[in-house]
Amino acid sequence: MFQTFSGNSRRPRQVNLSGQNVNPFAASTWTPTASGTQQTVANAQQERLRRQQDRDKLNATKRLQRTWRGHKVRSDLADSRRDAWDRTQAGGSGSEATLAEQLRILVAFFSARRPADLKRLEDLSQTIGPMRWESFLRRQDIQPRIPRLAQITLEALQVSLPECQDTLLQFLTATTDCHPEVFPRISRPYYTYLSQLLVKNRSEKLDEGLILKAIRVPLVEHIDVAHNVLNAHAALASEFLTTPNLSSLVGGLHRIAPLVNVGRLSTALIREYSSAGKIQPSGQLWLLAHFIALHRLQRRSSQEPHFLRALSLQLSGCAGEIVGRIDNTDPEVADELSQAHNIPPLPSPIRDELLSLVNKASITGLLAKFNIDYAKASAAGEEDASLLASYALTLLRIFPRRGDDIRMWLYHGSMITSSGLEVPALKFFWQAMNLTNTFSAIRSDSKAALSILRPQTRRANSGSISMSDHARDREWRTILLFLELYTFVLRFTDDEEFLSASNVNFESSPVSRIRESALPIEDVKRLTLFLKNLAFTTYYNAGELSGDDNQVNEGGLGTYFGTNTNSSRFQPHDVTAIREDNTPRPFAGIAGMTFDYVRTIVRGVMRMLYERDSRRRFLSKDHWLMTSRFDMEGFIPAVVMEEERQHEAREGGEDAEVEDADLEMRDDLTLVGMARPRRAQQLESLQRQQQRVARKKVLAAVGPRLEVLQNMPFAIPFETRVQIFRQFVLLDQTRRRGGNVDPDIWRMSMMQNAFMQAGSDHRMGREALGRHHAKIRRDQVFGDAYEQFYDLGEGLKEPIQITFVDKFDTVEAGIDGGGVTKEFLTSVTNEAFRSEDGPNLFVTNDQNLLYPNPAALDERKGLMRQAGLTEQDVEWRENITDILRQYEFLGRIVGKCLYEGILVDIGFAAFFLLKWAASGSGGGYRANINDLRDLDETLYQGLLKLKNYPGNVEDFSLDFTIEDTISSPGAPTQTITRELMPNGSNIPVTNENRPLYVSYVARHRLQLQPYQQTQAFLRGLGEIIKPSWLSMFNQSELQTLIGGDSSEINVEDLRANTAYGGIYVIGDDGLEHPTIELFWKVMKELDDSDRRKVLKYVTSTPRAPLLGFSQLNPRFSIRDAGSDEERLPSTSTCVNLLKLPKYTTAGTLRSKLVYAVNSGAGFDLS
């Protein structure tokens, strides 16, 4: 029996669900690559798609037929109405009823694309013309047709361009005049048509009276529809006043000025900008210029709140277009910009109107109105005063090259206090700032600044602003205006005037304006507390606060020009998103004001006060410290960790930076006719800028302590910063040398690596080490060093080997001690900075402190001119490049000394060291009159007398020029007259502008004249020592870092950190050799000046290391030099070694030691 038998003998049905053909002999059309199941599904999908396509075709056919039938019906209806209109026209009755019927029919079939319809509309308007427009247009039976009539009339006018159909325009004007309620529907196309008509119609047949009437009629106020006037002014602004060169098209804006209500226009503009109106960017500049011109022509007050608010909003919107281009007519600026980009200057009418905002009368009136509004002590008065402050700050941001003029006019202004006293504007703003809650809260609590700043940086996407935010904005505007003004005043206030503010007696004798404006020391102390707490928060919490900041290039072009895109983790990929994210609300609502700019100005004032305090102490020693905000026990490891994280973040962004540079170069080299569209370049520039901002934010987020150290280092004790500096250097050495910090081990690793890469060939290793080895002649130390080591560049950080030879090329004998790097570095610096036969790259001031020779380049150019060379000659450029490279190399040498911890006995001028600190802080060096004292005492005293001269300084016949003196060997002294400001030779020095003259003289002497030399030196220094590390110290601290501590020599510290050699080595008993005991006894008996001589005799510098003698490299060492007591002690300064004979008495040792150190000799005496 079969186990599967079911009792039914019929064969079961075979159901094939796979789709495969079970008949192997049947022909198959299926593809052999697809299974039966897949083919079945594919066939079903194709069938379904074919049916759907058939349905779509059917539906499309139905739609076409329906559309065509509708069109045909409408066309037939319109044609029938045209026939009816023509029959009515042929009847020729001309009655108002007939015309009304024609109008009713015309608006139903009119099409601007049909010339016949245009002719019908023109005929109708001509027929109505002889009658009074008003009487016809007020007929009740045509009122529903009026909106359509206005629309088709405007369409007909637009089609007729560039010709002007006077009758139609009169008809439209009359319609608008009789029915102002219809104008909002056509307001923007209406003024667009008028603009296009003026631009496109160049014939003299244009009826100017009709055009002016067409402009005026919509602007007339009607009681029943007063709100329409604002709409009309808004349309006028966005569509008509944006017309380029409108003044020339209408025969002068004085013809339009009487037609426009500037107050209404201001209100309309405020509404447009506040609601993201439709004003095109291309026309904003022309609108701004025409707005200023209309206001000026109407002779209205320049301090009206609505006008100022509208003006500020427009300036904010046009900031990127104005900044930079406003100065493009200045030849110097134009040359710089033309080399970077093909940047067009602002059109002359726009530039003239913008510059009309910056004048003495306007700024003086601004102060007077501010005083009046502030004195009201009401919310409205405070709001108006805040608006004036915002406008003044806007002018400073938009017109950076006129900033000093604006600040000077503000500085000379006077204000009336609530008690009726007249005080300088600076003190008035200081008193107003003192009364703000923002100032009080931040001054009292360093942690309060974060909660106050957060709303300013997080309102980019908020839809509304609270009343408390408005109040805070008002306070910030007052604070920022004071800081802008105080920064300006500090530039030309000397230390005596600054420190004597508390002792000024206004009744005894006339007091200078500077002394009147100076703040008492107690007030300065309160100000520094506010600045210190605010700046700390802006840097320590930079990652959080600067997240939505929109960067604006100071003195640059904002976001106007650009080139490329990049792809990295530091930037978003959506251009539209970038556009949205890149337009946050300005800080405190001030045009162009960003969080970064606010932080910069706060830091600038704080640093200026700190530098003054470090120069002449007027605050307590620990006043600037903020150690309470840190865990100081773990501070150094935390900072080192942040430095490592920042290094990793920078490495991650280096590829993007290289790509940036490549794309920028590619754009600069683009062939004519091959340039990409400007829009694409702008978007790419925007992406690149966003990437840099994001990268900067990442660095700030991973290094909050570093941000504080680099921008306000005085918040941390000096000794702690020195330890951090040494840790940074050690970290860099470890990273660069693969963990082999010791020079000998590093050299061995270099040889091993070369051997492993090149088999048994050691030549690669020797070649690598050979680049770090040099043969130096004693009488040509600097020249040989420059020739052999310049090409190393940053590689000078690695260990170098020096072989000294005499003039016969004989190698000097002596103790190497691992290399004579120290001897080499001190010899190079001595020859370059001190030797009369040196390169004369540096000169000294009255205190024998060094700074770059300001005339070095001019002297070299003079010698080349005497040799018959011109600036176009290759040799001329090579000479200039060579001298700048020498400065760069000297910077590397000084950096190498700092990097290796080798002290050199060199003193630099304080103002020059300030430039070192400023090179890594981002704020830049700011010249002031006090720094001039370190350069030229005579010039400093002369400027003080000029500044405080009680008479009329115009008697001296000075102008804004200065003479630079050039003295070449064997040639008479020459002078070169240079301008301190554009057109300076034609600007006399007056009692009013003499502060500017003093400031500009200081800037020229300290900053501009030695600029190239200084930058070359700092570039070389920065290759060895990161500028951000230098920014951790002030000028006196940097000098200590270079040359050591100037405090009294600690003999016990020196004794505890001395190494002994020869028979002087301390044995197992721990006792010192008798001669060593005598040596330390004599050292204690010597006065500090003789101790310094001994220290300099052995180490080549008279000062101790900053952190004690444990940091001296190499260590201070003493070894025996025989038993002949007639011999003098000798030294090997390259290894800080004193070779001391075995003296048996203290008297002999003292006399021999003092004689040796005063003889100025060293190694040769042994």
Side-chain angles (χ1 to χ4, degrees):
M1 296 280 305
F2 295 99
Q3 297 296 324
T4 57
F5 181 67
S6 61
N8 188 355
S9 61
R10 293 184 61 183
R11 186 177 181 179
R13 184 183 179 188
Q14 301 294 322
V15 180
N16 182 13
L17 298 178
S18 68
Q20 292 180 334
N21 192 344
V22 296
N23 184 359
F25 305 102
S28 176
T29 59
W30 292 13
T31 58
T33 58
S35 67
T37 305
Q38 292 174 330
Q39 187 63 39
T40 301
V41 173
N43 290 340
Q45 289 176 342
Q46 291 175 3
E47 289 293 330
R48 189 181 302 113
L49 179 62
R50 189 161 42 249
R51 290 193 298 271
Q52 182 62 41
Q53 289 175 346
D54 292 340
R55 284 193 295 270
D56 291 342
K57 288 179 181 179
L58 179 61
N59 292 332
T61 303
K62 292 179 180 179
R63 282 196 298 272
L64 285 173
Q65 292 175 346
R66 185 169 57 251
T67 302
W68 169 249
R69 285 195 299 268
H71 170 72
K72 186 69 171 62
V73 170
R74 288 193 300 273
S75 297
D76 293 343
L77 179 61
D79 289 341
S80 66
R81 288 173 174 171
R82 289 187 179 94
D83 293 339
W85 194 93
D86 292 338
R87 288 193 298 272
T88 306
Q89 178 72 6
S93 64
S95 64
E96 282 196 15
T98 302
L99 295 175
E101 179 63 18
Q102 284 185 304
L103 175 63
R104 184 186 65 78
I105 298 174
L106 181 65
V107 298
F109 69 75
F110 181 84
S111 173
R113 294 189 297 270
R114 300 181 67 130
D117 287 357
L118 296 175
K119 183 68 170 60
R120 291 183 179 97
L121 178 60
E122 187 176 354
D123 291 343
L124 177 63
S125 63
Q126 289 177 347
T127 305
I128 301 174
M131 307 177 185
R132 292 184 59 84
W133 296 105
E134 292 79 3
S135 61
F136 177 78
L137 292 171
R138 295 187 188 281
R139 288 177 58 92
Q140 291 298 320
D141 55 344
I142 66 170
Q143 295 309 304
R145 311 295 190 275
I146 293 297
R148 175 63 179 162
L149 175 63
Q151 183 178 354
I152 66 173
T153 306
L154 181 58
E155 291 176 1
L157 287 169
Q158 290 171 332
V159 171
S160 302
L161 286 172
E163 298 300 323
C164 176
Q165 301 292 336
D166 290 354
T167 305
L168 290 180
L169 183 56
Q170 291 174 358
F171 192 26
L172 180 60
T173 304
T175 304
T176 304
D177 192 17
C178 293
H179 297 279
E181 71 279 0
V182 305
F183 186 73
R185 304 183 184 183
I186 62 169
S187 58
R188 293 185 185 274
Y190 177 88
Y191 278 113
T192 300
Y193 163 74
L194 292 179
S195 172
Q196 293 175 345
L197 177 63
L198 292 173
V199 172
K200 295 180 179 180
N201 191 309
R202 299 296 183 180
S203 67
E204 298 181 357
K205 298 180 181 179
L206 203 60
D207 188 345
E208 295 182 356
L210 177 60
I211 300 297
L212 292 176
K213 181 180 180 182
I215 296 171
R216 175 186 60 81
V217 166
L219 304 178
V220 176
E221 295 194 24
H222 298 268
I223 297 177
D224 52 341
V225 285
H227 65 279
N228 286 348
V229 178
L230 276 182
N231 292 330
H233 279 86
L236 175 78
S238 62
E239 309 301 333
F240 187 73
L241 294 181
T242 53
T243 307
N245 294 306
L246 182 61
S247 178
S248 62
L249 297 176
V250 298
L253 289 178
H254 64 279
R255 305 185 67 182
I256 297 180
L259 313 178
V260 181
N261 184 329
V262 174
R264 294 284 189 185
L265 182 61
S266 300
T267 304
L269 282 170
I270 293 171
R271 189 182 67 178
E272 286 291 296
Y273 275 92
S274 300
S275 60
K278 302 176 182 178
I279 300 176
Q280 296 298 322
S282 58
Q284 288 182 358
L285 279 175
W286 285 106
L287 169 60
L288 175 59
H290 296 148
F291 179 68
I292 298 169
L294 292 174
H295 184 274
R296 173 175 50 80
L297 290 169
Q298 291 190 2
R299 304 180 185 279
R300 299 167 67 97
S301 169
S302 60
Q303 282 77 43
E304 294 174 351
H306 280 76
F307 168 72
L308 288 181
R309 183 172 282 109
L311 186 58
S312 296
L313 287 170
Q314 292 182 79
L315 287 171
S316 176
C318 301
E321 299 276 350
I322 297 174
V323 178
R325 293 181 70 195
I326 189 71
D327 300 311
N328 208 355
T329 54
D330 183 350
E332 296 182 4
V333 178
D335 289 343
E336 294 176 4
L337 295 178
S338 63
Q339 292 174 5
H341 299 280
N342 184 20
I343 298 175
L346 285 176
S348 180
I350 296 178
R351 184 176 185 275
D352 293 342
E353 292 298 339
L354 288 174
L355 291 179
S356 70
L357 298 174
V358 186
N359 58 73
K360 181 180 178 182
S362 174
I363 301 302
T364 305
L366 202 66
L367 279 178
K369 184 67 167 60
F370 184 95
N371 205 173
I372 294 171
D373 292 335
Y374 193 83
K376 293 178 183 177
S378 63
E382 290 179 2
E383 180 64 29
D384 290 345
S386 173
L387 179 61
L388 293 167
S390 175
Y391 176 64
L393 289 165
T394 300
L395 292 181
L396 289 171
R397 297 288 296 116
I398 300 298
F399 304 102
R401 291 177 68 87
R402 298 297 304 277
D404 282 343
D405 291 328
I406 298 171
R407 295 181 185 96
M408 183 181 66
W409 293 324
L410 290 171
Y411 159 72
H412 281 293
S414 297
M415 312 283 273
I416 306 298
T417 64
S418 56
S419 59
L421 296 176
E422 181 176 334
V423 297
L426 179 69
K427 281 198 169 179
F428 179 87
F429 288 120
W430 164 246
Q431 294 171 8
M433 174 178 166
N434 258 298
L435 297 176
T436 62
N437 295 326
T438 300
F439 177 82
S440 300
I442 295 177
R443 180 182 64 84
S444 303
D445 182 7
S446 62
K447 298 180 180 179
L450 183 59
S451 59
I452 293 174
L453 286 171
R454 272 188 184 129
Q456 291 293 342
T457 58
R458 290 186 175 179
R459 291 189 306 204
N461 301 317
S462 61
S464 61
I465 302 173
S466 66
M467 293 301 294
S468 61
D469 287 338
H470 274 301
R472 190 73 75 184
D473 283 352
R474 290 197 294 268
E475 294 184 350
W476 275 117
R477 292 166 188 166
T478 303
I479 292 170
L480 292 173
L481 186 56
F482 166 78
L483 294 179
E484 283 277 8
L485 193 52
Y486 197 48
T487 304
F488 174 72
V489 173
L490 286 176
R491 281 163 44 190
F492 53 81
T493 302
D494 64 86
D495 288 339
E496 297 300 330
E497 292 167 331
F498 181 85
L499 296 173
S500 62
S502 303
N503 304 320
V504 174
N505 187 351
F506 294 94
E507 299 179 357
S508 60
S509 60
V511 178
S512 68
R513 187 67 172 180
I514 298 177
R515 289 182 182 268
E516 281 184 332
S517 302
L519 300 181
I521 297 300
E522 194 59 36
D523 286 349
V524 174
K525 181 178 180 180
R526 299 175 66 209
L527 175 61
T528 55
L529 288 173
F530 168 79
L531 295 173
K532 182 180 67 168
N533 292 340
L534 177 58
F536 179 87
T537 301
T538 61
Y539 286 107
Y540 191 73
N541 302 98
E544 173 185 354
L545 294 176
S546 62
D548 296 327
D549 196 19
N550 181 18
Q551 292 231 331
V552 176
N553 295 336
E554 309 304 329
L557 298 176
T559 58
Y560 188 72
F561 292 97
T563 43
N564 66 16
T565 64
N566 299 287
S567 178
S568 81
R569 63 191 180 93
F570 288 107
Q571 72 176 40
H573 299 279
D574 186 0
V575 176
T576 305
I578 294 176
R579 273 286 180 192
E580 295 174 354
D581 293 343
N582 210 29
T583 56
R585 181 179 182 273
F587 191 96
I590 302 167
M593 188 69 69
T594 64
F595 168 76
D596 191 60
Y597 183 83
V598 172
R599 182 171 63 176
T600 299
I601 191 173
V602 169
R603 177 193 173 280
V605 178
M606 178 182 63
R607 289 295 292 245
M608 293 175 81
L609 292 173
Y610 170 72
E611 289 165 7
R612 200 177 288 265
D613 182 49
S614 62
R615 186 170 53 244
R616 294 185 63 176
R617 180 76 62 184
F618 58 87
L619 296 171
S620 61
K621 180 181 179 182
D622 297 335
H623 174 81
W624 298 97
L625 295 180
M626 298 194 72
T627 52
S628 60
R629 296 295 303 271
F630 298 107
D631 174 17
M632 295 308 296
E633 291 185 1
F635 184 77
I636 295 177
V639 170
V640 174
M641 186 178 298
E642 288 180 5
E643 171 70 13
E644 184 66 21
R645 287 203 300 263
Q646 282 201 356
H647 177 77
E648 294 174 358
R650 288 191 192 95
E651 284 187 335
E654 279 179 0
D655 294 340
E657 290 178 357
V658 171
E659 189 178 347
D660 281 351
D662 291 343
L663 287 173
E664 287 176 357
M665 183 178 297
R666 194 182 311 159
D667 288 329
D668 291 340
L669 298 177
T670 301
L671 297 176
V672 176
M674 300 289 288
R676 289 171 297 153
R678 179 178 171 188
R679 172 69 174 173
Q681 291 189 3
Q682 286 179 332
L683 293 178
E684 290 177 353
S685 172
L686 198 60
Q687 283 185 316
R688 186 170 60 253
Q689 180 186 3
Q690 195 75 0
Q691 175 200 16
R692 290 169 181 164
V693 173
R695 189 181 304 133
K696 182 178 179 182
K697 181 184 176 184
V698 169
L699 294 178
V702 301
R705 296 172 183 83
L706 280 176
E707 290 289 315
V708 173
L709 270 175
Q710 293 165 10
N711 293 281
M712 46 184 305
F714 38 80
I716 305 300
F718 175 53
E719 293 76 11
T720 303
R721 283 180 275 136
V722 174
Q723 294 180 55
I724 291 172
F725 175 77
R726 296 314 316 171
Q727 287 293 320
F728 283 173
V729 170
L730 179 60
L731 182 65
D732 189 61
Q733 289 176 337
T734 304
R735 188 186 300 126
R736 291 181 60 87
R737 302 177 187 179
N740 301 310
V741 177
D742 183 85
D744 291 332
I745 298 178
W746 174 77
R747 293 187 185 98
M748 291 177 61
S749 67
M750 289 287 289
M751 293 293 292
Q752 290 175 354
N753 291 337
F755 178 78
M756 292 174 65
Q757 294 174 7
S760 59
D761 189 359
H762 289 269
R763 285 179 297 177
M764 290 185 60
R766 285 194 291 269
E767 288 176 2
L769 294 177
R771 297 178 64 243
H772 293 79
H773 177 267
K775 185 188 293 185
I776 304 296
R777 293 171 292 179
R778 280 287 184 182
D779 56 347
Q780 297 288 335
V781 176
F782 177 78
D784 289 348
Y786 171 66
E787 180 180 348
Q788 299 182 57
F789 280 147
Y790 176 80
D791 291 335
L792 271 183
E794 191 179 5
L796 195 61
K797 287 184 177 182
E798 305 341 326
I800 56 176
Q801 278 188 312
I802 305 298
T803 301
F804 281 112
V805 297
D806 59 18
K807 59 183 179 180
F808 302 108
D809 202 34
T810 303
V811 177
E812 288 188 1
I815 299 174
D816 191 343
V820 288
T821 300
K822 179 175 178 290
E823 179 75 11
F824 163 72
L825 293 174
T826 54
S827 299
V828 172
T829 54
N830 284 333
E831 181 176 321
F833 293 119
R834 297 182 178 277
S835 174
E836 295 181 359
D837 299 328
N840 195 31
L841 300 177
F842 278 70
V843 292
T844 58
N845 61 9
D846 295 337
Q847 292 81 38
N848 286 322
L849 298 176
L850 293 157
Y851 61 92
N853 182 3
L857 288 180
D858 288 331
E859 290 172 358
R860 180 67 65 91
K861 291 176 182 178
L863 291 174
M864 288 189 290
R865 289 191 184 96
Q866 292 178 14
L869 297 176
T870 63
E871 295 185 12
Q872 287 72 35
D873 292 330
V874 175
E875 190 176 348
W876 176 290
R877 293 193 295 271
E878 289 176 348
N879 268 271
I880 298 300
T881 301
D882 181 68
I883 192 171
L884 293 177
R885 284 182 172 180
Q886 291 182 42
Y887 276 105
E888 185 180 356
F889 181 70
L890 264 182
R892 293 178 191 165
I893 290 296
V894 175
K896 178 70 170 177
C897 294
L898 290 170
Y899 195 76
E900 300 293 346
I902 295 173
L903 303 179
V904 288
D905 188 18
I906 301 173
F908 291 105
F911 73 87
F912 181 52
L913 291 170
L914 279 173
K915 297 178 183 180
W916 296 23
S919 65
S921 60
Y925 169 72
R926 301 189 182 198
N928 65 80
I929 189 174
N930 297 286
D931 291 342
L932 197 61
R933 189 170 198 170
D934 293 328
L935 176 72
D936 189 337
E937 178 73 23
T938 303
L939 178 60
Y940 169 77
Q941 295 296 338
L943 290 176
L944 284 189
K945 292 178 181 178
L946 175 69
K947 189 175 63 164
N948 299 316
Y949 183 65
N952 187 359
V953 299
E954 293 186 56
D955 297 339
F956 301 125
S957 301
L958 295 172
D959 55 31
F960 278 78
T961 60
I962 194 169
E963 291 185 347
D964 292 337
T965 303
I966 302 174
S967 56
S968 301
T973 301
Q974 298 178 347
T975 59
I976 300 177
T977 301
R978 291 188 166 101
E979 292 188 335
L980 295 172
M981 61 188 301
N983 197 33
S985 58
N986 297 319
I987 302 176
V989 178
T990 64
N991 285 356
E992 183 181 74
N993 65 20
R994 59 181 165 180
L996 277 184
Y997 176 77
V998 170
S999 177
Y1000 287 175
V1001 169
R1003 184 183 65 176
H1004 178 81
R1005 286 282 182 248
L1006 293 166
Q1007 198 166 353
L1008 300 182
Q1009 189 183 10
Y1011 178 77
Q1012 292 190 64
Q1013 300 92 301
T1014 303
Q1015 289 303 111
F1017 180 90
L1018 294 178
R1019 186 165 54 250
L1021 179 63
E1023 289 179 353
I1024 309 300
I1025 303 295
K1026 286 177 59 175
S1028 58
W1029 300 352
L1030 295 172
S1031 67
M1032 295 192 301
F1033 306 98
N1034 65 19
Q1035 66 273 32
S1036 58
E1037 293 168 347
L1038 281 170
Q1039 184 58 62
T1040 306
L1041 204 64
I1042 297 165
D1045 193 354
S1046 58
S1047 60
E1048 186 173 335
I1049 299 298
N1050 187 337
V1051 177
E1052 291 300 327
D1053 182 41
L1054 177 60
R1055 187 174 188 174
N1057 292 283
T1058 298
Y1060 302 100
I1063 64 172
Y1064 293 156
V1065 174
I1066 297 177
D1068 296 337
D1069 57 2
L1071 299 178
E1072 293 176 337
H1073 191 277
T1075 303
I1076 296 300
E1077 291 181 347
L1078 292 176
F1079 173 78
W1080 293 119
K1081 178 182 178 182
V1082 169
M1083 282 292 290
K1084 290 180 180 179
E1085 294 172 351
L1086 294 175
D1087 57 30
D1088 191 60
S1089 61
D1090 285 333
R1091 292 177 190 170
R1092 291 186 179 280
K1093 291 178 182 179
V1094 173
L1095 188 61
K1096 184 175 182 179
Y1097 181 63
V1098 180
T1099 66
S1100 74
T1101 180
R1103 290 176 290 275
L1106 303 175
L1107 303 177
F1109 286 100
S1110 62
Q1111 302 297 312
L1112 189 63
N1113 180 29
R1115 294 182 66 183
F1116 190 91
S1117 305
I1118 306 176
R1119 63 163 294 169
D1120 65 289
S1123 57
D1124 185 0
E1125 297 192 31
E1126 295 300 319
R1127 290 190 63 179
L1128 294 173
S1130 59
T1131 63
S1132 291
T1133 56
C1134 59
V1135 289
N1136 296 335
L1137 174 64
L1138 172 64
K1139 290 174 280 188
L1140 186 68
K1142 290 189 293 181
Y1143 300 114
T1144 56
T1145 64
T1148 303
L1149 192 151
R1150 180 188 179 100
S1151 63
K1152 297 293 184 181
L1153 183 62
V1154 171
Y1155 181 85
V1157 299
N1158 287 315
S1159 67
F1163 184 79
D1164 56 315
L1165 289 180
S1166 62

